[in-house]
């Protein structure tokens, strides 16, 4: 019962933060520019990530982007920032649904048994929080942020050995950490700019950090952005995803389109 309540409280934190962002958008959407100074930035992106790490059984994890792409059913990735003066709220969502199949042979009662298996993994990585601009000039701006990083994974594994009864395993786990960070924007010229972001955190993880570097180019109504992103978790073996992993690294290039309104 306590575990159910804990998971509900985690989900409540994330949902409330995104409801705040959504409500701010809705409230200000109908206002004229003269009556509001809210500024919004929405980015849709593709993260060509690879996955590295280690399980609790000390087995190495090494999954390339091409392997992920070949087994991808669906994915959505987006980022939203709302600014009011020196204050900001933000949300970043990454969802992926992966499915694959393979075959294996194992020994059962002294006999080799062949089995086909299907695996489906659904995964959320969510960032949400707020911040304050501590330095601003014509070419440079620095924000200090605080928020949460939420990681949820559901794994469904089904074995088919040709027998009357198949084996199906469905397991899920999540991880919630508090984060603090710094976000910098540097205007290189009239068209080009550089965004850098770094955060660190802890909670259900022993330690987690994220680094992002993005180069942007301003067109008339949209910005093109591309760069690199890395997220790392050092899990606590007694909590959440730490029961299955010692650590995980997500890293790879990013390309996207950014809209201001």
């Amino acid at each position: 019962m306590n575990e159910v309540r804990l998971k509900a409280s985690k989900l409540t934190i994330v949902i409330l933060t995104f409801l705040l962002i959504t409500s701010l958008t809705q409230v200000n959407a109908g206002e004229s520019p003269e009556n509001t100074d809210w500024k919004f930035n929405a980015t849709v992106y593709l993260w060509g990530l690879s996955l590295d790490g280690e399980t609790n059984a000390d087995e190495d994890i090494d999954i390339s982007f091409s392997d992920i792409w070949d087994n991808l059913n669906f994915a959505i990735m987006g980022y939203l920032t709302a600014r009011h003066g020196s204050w900001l709220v933000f949300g970043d969502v990454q969802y992926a649904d992966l499915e694959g199949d393979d075959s294996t042979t194992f020994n059962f009662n002294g006999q080799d048994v062949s089995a086909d298996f299907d695996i489906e993994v659904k995964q959320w990585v969510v960032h949400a929080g707020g911040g304050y601009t501590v330095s601003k000039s014509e070419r440079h701006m620095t924000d200090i942020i605080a928020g949460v990083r939420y990681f949820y994974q559901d794994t469904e594994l089904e074995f088919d050995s040709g027998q009357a009864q198949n084996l199906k395993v469905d397991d899920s786990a999540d991880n919630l950490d508090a984060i603090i960070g710094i976000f910098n924007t540097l205007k290189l010229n009239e068209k080009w700019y550089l965004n850098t972001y770094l955060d660190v955190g802890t909670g259900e993880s022993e330690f987690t950090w994220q680094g992002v570097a993005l180069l942007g180019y301003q067109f008339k109504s949209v910005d093109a952005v591309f760069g690199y992103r890395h997220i790392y978790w050092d899990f606590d073996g007694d909590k959440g995803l730490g029961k299955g992993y010692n650590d995980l690294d997500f890293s790879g290039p990013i390309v996207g389109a950014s809209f201001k309104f």
Side-chain angles (χ1 to χ4, degrees), residues 110-130:
Q111 294 183 348
D112 289 335
V113 178
S114 297
D116 298 324
F117 66 89
D118 295 314
I119 183 169
E120 183 175 11
V121 178
K122 297 179 181 179
Q123 178 176 284
W124 291 89
V125 178
V126 179
H127 297 82

Side-chain angles (χ1 to χ4, degrees), residues 54-255:
E54 186 179 74
T55 70
N56 271 347
D58 296 327
E59 296 176 344
D60 291 332
I61 302 169
D62 185 5
I63 304 175
S64 67
F65 171 68
S66 61
D67 291 332
I68 294 174
W69 182 262
D70 289 342
N71 294 284
L72 184 65
N73 284 336
F74 177 76
I76 184 170
M77 303 174 187
Y79 181 84
L80 175 66
T81 302
R83 291 181 177 272
H84 186 276
S86 296
W87 295 95
L88 68 98
V89 289
F90 67 90
D92 181 21
V93 177
Q94 177 212 341
Y95 171 77
D97 183 344
L98 303 158
E99 186 173 11
D101 58 77
D102 207 339
S103 59
T104 187
T105 302
F106 59 93
N107 188 276
F108 182 73
N109 289 336
Q111 294 183 348
D112 289 335
V113 178
S114 297
D116 298 324
F117 66 89
D118 295 314
I119 183 169
E120 183 175 11
V121 178
K122 297 179 181 179
Q123 178 176 284
W124 291 89
V125 178
V126 179
H127 297 82
Y132 187 80
T133 302
V134 295
S135 176
K136 188 175 182 179
S137 68
E138 290 185 1
R139 293 190 57 203
H140 179 263
M141 183 168 66
T142 300
D143 302 312
I144 300 297
I145 68 96
V148 295
R149 176 154 46 245
Y150 179 69
F151 185 6
Y152 171 84
Q153 189 176 83
D154 180 81
T155 303
E156 184 177 296
L157 185 63
E158 185 172 1
F159 286 93
D160 182 3
S161 61
Q163 306 298 318
Q165 187 173 4
N166 298 325
L167 175 63
K168 185 175 183 179
V169 179
D170 191 353
D171 188 32
S172 63
D174 58 359
N175 198 84
L176 181 66
D177 295 302
I179 57 171
I180 57 173
I182 185 169
F183 176 69
N184 283 291
T185 298
L186 176 62
K187 189 175 181 180
L188 303 176
N189 55 41
E190 292 300 319
K191 293 292 186 180
W192 291 93
Y193 59 89
L194 176 66
N195 288 339
T196 57
Y197 173 84
L198 176 67
D199 70 43
V200 295
T202 189
E204 291 189 319
S205 298
E206 292 286 346
F207 178 71
T208 180
W209 73 274
Q210 176 181 202
V212 184
L214 291 176
L215 191 62
Y217 183 84
Q218 296 178 326
F219 292 95
K220 186 174 181 180
S221 57
V222 63
D223 293 0
V225 294
F226 53 93
Y228 197 85
R229 183 181 192 181
H230 181 94
I231 307 179
Y232 170 79
W233 290 267
D234 179 6
F235 292 108
D236 185 332
D238 296 328
K239 300 176 182 177
L241 284 160
K243 297 177 181 179
Y245 301 103
N246 287 332
D247 59 82
L248 281 177
D249 285 277
F250 289 177
S251 58
I254 283 182
V255 61

